[in-house]
Amino acid sequence: MGNSARELYERGLAASNAQRYAEARRLLVRAETAVDDADLRARIAGTLAYVLAQTGEPARAEALCRDALEQDGVSVETRAILAGQLGVLFTRAGRLDEAETMLSRAIDGLEGTAQANCLLNRSLVHMHRRAFDASTADLERAVEIYENAGAADAAAEARHNLGYTALLRGDLVSALDLMAQSRPVIAASSPVGAAMSDLDRAEVLRDAGLVDEAERLLESVATTFGAARMRHARAEAEYQLARSLLRHDPKRARRVAKTAARRFRALGAESWAARSDAIRLDAELAAGATPPAAEFAATAGDLKRAGFPNEATAVHLSDALAAVRRGDPVRAIRLPADAATPLRLRAAEVRAVRARSRSRHTESRRHAAEGLDVLSDWQRSFGVLDLQASLAMHGTSLVFAGLAAAGRSGDPEVLFDWSERARHLSQQVAPVRPPHDSEHAADLGELRMLRADLTGQEWATHPRVRQLRDRVREHQWTATGAGDTRPRIALTALQGELGRERRDGAQPEFGEDAGTAALSFVFTGDAMSCVATTAADSTIVTLDRPAIAAAADGLRADLDVSASIRSGPMAAIVARALAERMQRLDDLLLGPIRAIIGGRRVVLTTPGILAGIPWAMLPTMAGRPFTVATSMSRWAQERHTPRTLRTAGFAAGPRVLRGVDEVRTAASVWREATVLTGDDARVDAVTALAADVDALHIAAHGRHAADNPLFAGFELADGSLFGYDVDLIPRVPDTVVLSACELGRSSVRWGEEALGMTRVWLHAGTRSVIAAPALVPDDVAGELLGALHTGLSAGRSPSAALAAASVQTGLHTPFQCHGTGF
């Protein structure tokens, strides 16, 4: 191989572009000792400076570039290249004015891909300043230059950065779409290239509330950067990891932020160190500590001097929260005109907390409501369930601030309004179905096979599963549109609905003559209550939250044991223990409001903390039609649509004892019924059947997915039918019966919302889902659900049919009706 200065330089440049920095440094140092041309020496210095900056020596890199610029015999083009390199160094150091000056000088003196490189780098300066239009213009110009030059790798990087600009604007769907388009090209270049792409992609996932996936990705890229000795990039990954951990593990967030700050300071990157300090302070605040005001002031000053006014304002807002804790006066903080949505939400939280500290609860609710309105505007652009629900992460503090202030009001109308705000946050937008996509269908098909072949742990960690899950989710995010916005009901309007119990000419169901009671259970963060409403009145009932928590502790295990031990010497003991627990929960949750409920039907809404309660097994609910609504607003809206169930579809998955008998017995009471069993019960056949029937019953083994409900599913002949498959059904049934273990379960991600397969069907448009939050023996499920279909086929509402089936069979099971059950 050539050893001339020119040849060594070319090899070193190629190694640098491929992120092989140790090799590049050796070659460039050799070229430096062999060169006798001033212009080539300057170019070698510029490339070596880039390598030094990437591996943790920014001061030496800057000195090399400045020395080269002062030498005689350096061409105009080379001086422009050196100016561009200095611009990159200044950007990293947070010296944004100097960075823009140098990069603009370089852009004016260069052509072709060299100019495009500087455009790409100047776009980063614009991003830091939140000058998104200028950033987009630079990047679009760079993409055009790269594509005209056939530089596909560079064009992909610029398109990826367009995605990052979209992220900063708050357009998460466009951000993920642009990054997903670019990643295959970037990842093919090297593991480091893939890691750089994933670093930004993790930010999208974090902002979307999918923090578990974001953190796994960030830990992986930090390891990759560490192995490549890219100290600055590794510290960036740690900084982003700390930002994600802040939401749910502040103690670890503090440790990671301190490590990142230490690395940045060792590199001379003081602005990045200050950003890490800001996360550390927030972590200490979230963990219950109260850092001194001087630390906040110093960090905010560092950020402002480095050109990060929005982040400096965020530190001032955190200081204001600390001041409330200290009992110090809190001055008003003015937001920048271009403040990002998370910053506006934080400001609303500070105002709400400050007002609450002064016992101004009405003002506190107003500020919290203003913040949630900002979040709602953001959410309205997203149609897919996981994104709508996870974005609620950004409003958790505001929700609990508003609920706490509403609870202190003592006014049922106020507390009900805030209960609906909390529940409505991820339910306000109806989705618009995406069109069929063959590649998306193929990805889901491959995931089905892998789900069948892999254990739970393997399924979570397998590289191909992760790749496919990412692609499936990203397609759904970008393809599922946002439809109509669902309205939120007021308490007086709900009372009006409760006064209109029966359609003219309809036969009354159980409890109709007595009316309906609406029970809105509310958890404010430290207390629990219920807004109990009838057509005539509404009242707030305070509940014993610690006692409820104690009675619910270990509930699911008891339910599962009870379902498993039904004979032998232990059966009676297990049954008695469960009955005593159910009575205790009944007394705590419904005892204080039994007089209000009387002989009425019940519609209830529950916070995530009560997600696992088997309401149908509580004595007060025995034989009583009730429905667990996603919100009172949606229940009131949907109950006006006439329900006529004429056709029914049934499917039995493999390895379900008595599953075939269950669906055939249930189908026998319908005039029009289709039954799929054995090899006929495939995913495509079941989803096609779902689109053609009014009621769908599936008896299958199910798997709940705590991290993402759209990857929950039930097992059919050719693999799992996922929540993502449900989202693709063009017309979902009015009523769905899930006779599948686990699929009535739900997980609480952020705030009030509990998510599971039941919620997936309701989000897709199904009005009622009948499912159980715990195990039910196959023979019990078969008998109860067979009786259920007798009622459904006769025209009874789902909740009334289920209650009547329980009375008829004498079986009190966890099966309950969700959604608009009557």
Side-chain angles (χ1 to χ4, degrees), residues 37 61 91 141 225 227 371 373 397 414 454 460 467 533 541 563 573 624:
D37 177 81
T91 302
R141 188 175 162 196
F225 293 143
D373 287 344
S397 297
V414 171
L454 300 174
Q467 181 184 25
T533 305
V541 178
I573 297 172
R624 183 189 306 274

Side-chain angles (χ1 to χ4, degrees), residues 418-723:
W418 271 93
S419 172
E420 286 297 287
R421 279 183 182 275
R423 303 201 58 76
H424 206 56
L425 198 56
S426 62
Q427 302 171 24
Q428 61 179 328
V429 181
V432 174
R433 293 287 178 276
H436 177 75
D437 182 282
S438 58
E439 290 185 10
H440 182 59
D443 285 344
L444 282 168
E446 187 177 348
L447 267 178
R448 278 185 251 291
M449 292 188 290
L450 289 168
R451 191 70 182 95
D453 294 342
L454 300 174
T455 65
Q457 182 59 32
E458 290 173 326
W459 166 257
T461 59
H462 194 281
R464 182 58 176 166
V465 170
R466 286 190 178 184
Q467 181 184 25
L468 289 168
R469 283 174 56 141
D470 288 346
R471 285 216 309 245
V472 165
R473 180 184 54 233
E474 288 156 10
H475 175 273
Q476 211 85 341
W477 279 20
T478 55
T480 304
D484 295 336
T485 300
R486 298 185 177 111
R488 198 172 71 246
I489 196 170
L491 184 60
T492 52
L494 174 64
Q495 288 182 294
E497 288 293 333
L498 298 178
R500 293 190 289 272
E501 284 300 328
R502 196 189 313 162
R503 299 189 305 275
D504 291 341
Q507 290 297 312
E509 292 185 336
F510 173 98
E512 252 189 316
D513 291 332
T516 298
L519 308 180
S520 302
F521 288 88
V522 181
F523 177 55
T524 65
D526 57 5
M528 188 175 293
S529 58
C530 178
V531 181
T533 305
T534 65
D537 196 15
S538 185
T539 187
I540 297 175
V541 178
T542 301
L543 303 175
D544 188 341
R545 185 237 169 177
I548 292 169
D553 185 36
L555 170 61
R556 184 165 176 261
D558 275 9
L559 288 166
D560 289 349
V561 168
S562 177
S564 303
I565 302 176
R566 303 170 57 212
S567 60
M570 289 296 296
I573 297 172
V574 169
R576 184 166 58 252
L578 182 62
E580 290 173 356
R581 185 192 285 269
M582 290 298 104
Q583 185 62 61
R584 176 68 174 148
L585 282 168
D586 188 68
D587 290 341
L588 290 167
L589 290 166
L590 299 176
I593 46 181
R594 283 196 194 107
I596 297 172
I597 297 172
R600 296 178 172 87
R601 301 181 302 182
V602 172
V603 53
L604 57 98
T605 59
T606 65
I609 198 171
L610 297 179
I613 299 295
W615 296 92
M617 298 182 72
L618 301 184
T620 299
M621 291 298 200
R624 183 189 306 274
F626 74 93
T627 189
V628 183
T630 55
S631 70
M632 294 296 178
S633 302
R634 184 170 173 183
W635 174 79
Q637 179 187 23
E638 289 184 344
R639 69 193 301 259
H640 290 293
T641 302
R643 174 182 263 127
T644 304
L645 303 183
R646 293 191 178 91
T647 60
F650 299 83
R655 302 182 299 104
V656 179
L657 186 66
R658 300 187 181 89
V660 173
D661 291 341
E662 176 183 316
V663 297
R664 286 179 175 164
T665 299
S668 66
V669 301
W670 289 86
R671 290 184 180 179
E672 296 182 48
T674 301
V675 180
L676 301 176
T677 62
D679 290 340
D680 291 333
R682 302 180 315 278
V683 171
D684 58 350
V686 173
T687 52
L689 177 63
D692 288 338
V693 296
D694 301 319
L696 177 71
H697 179 132
I698 298 173
H701 288 294
R703 290 188 179 97
H704 176 59
D707 57 340
N708 187 339
L710 289 171
F711 282 118
F714 36 82
E715 186 181 342
L716 297 176
D718 57 343
S720 293
L721 191 158
F722 296 113

Side-chain angles (χ1 to χ4, degrees), residues 205-356:
L205 295 174
R206 182 203 64 225
D207 281 3
L210 302 174
V211 295
D212 294 339
E213 291 185 56
E215 286 157 19
R216 285 195 295 266
L217 202 55
L218 288 165
E219 287 165 350
S220 173
V221 301
T223 300
T224 300
F225 293 143
R229 304 177 74 177
M230 297 173 64
R231 295 162 63 196
H232 193 286
R234 180 181 182 181
E236 279 192 51
E238 290 168 339
Y239 162 77
Q240 297 296 352
L241 177 59
R243 287 185 67 191
S244 183
L245 290 165
L246 187 60
R247 293 282 181 179
H248 64 99
D249 191 349
K251 291 183 179 179
R252 188 182 171 207
R254 179 181 182 275
R255 293 195 301 271
V256 175
K258 285 185 71 175
T259 298
R262 186 174 65 250
R263 292 191 200 280
F264 284 130
R265 287 200 166 90
L267 297 170
E270 291 298 327
S271 63
W272 278 94
R275 298 174 85 184
S276 301
D277 287 340
I279 299 300
R280 175 184 58 79
L281 290 169
D282 274 344
E284 292 176 3
L285 201 59
T290 308
E295 281 198 62
F296 287 107
T299 301
D302 289 344
L303 288 167
K304 189 172 182 180
R305 284 188 294 274
F308 296 107
N310 280 270
E311 295 190 33
T313 301
V315 173
H316 285 308
L317 290 170
S318 297
D319 183 32
L321 289 174
V324 171
R325 286 189 189 173
R326 292 191 298 262
D328 295 341
V330 180
R331 63 181 179 83
I333 299 171
R334 180 172 297 178
L335 290 184
D338 61 349
T341 297
L343 188 60
R344 295 167 66 193
L345 296 176
R346 184 72 159 175
E349 179 191 353
V350 169
R351 295 180 185 119
V353 169
R354 182 176 57 184
R356 186 179 67 193

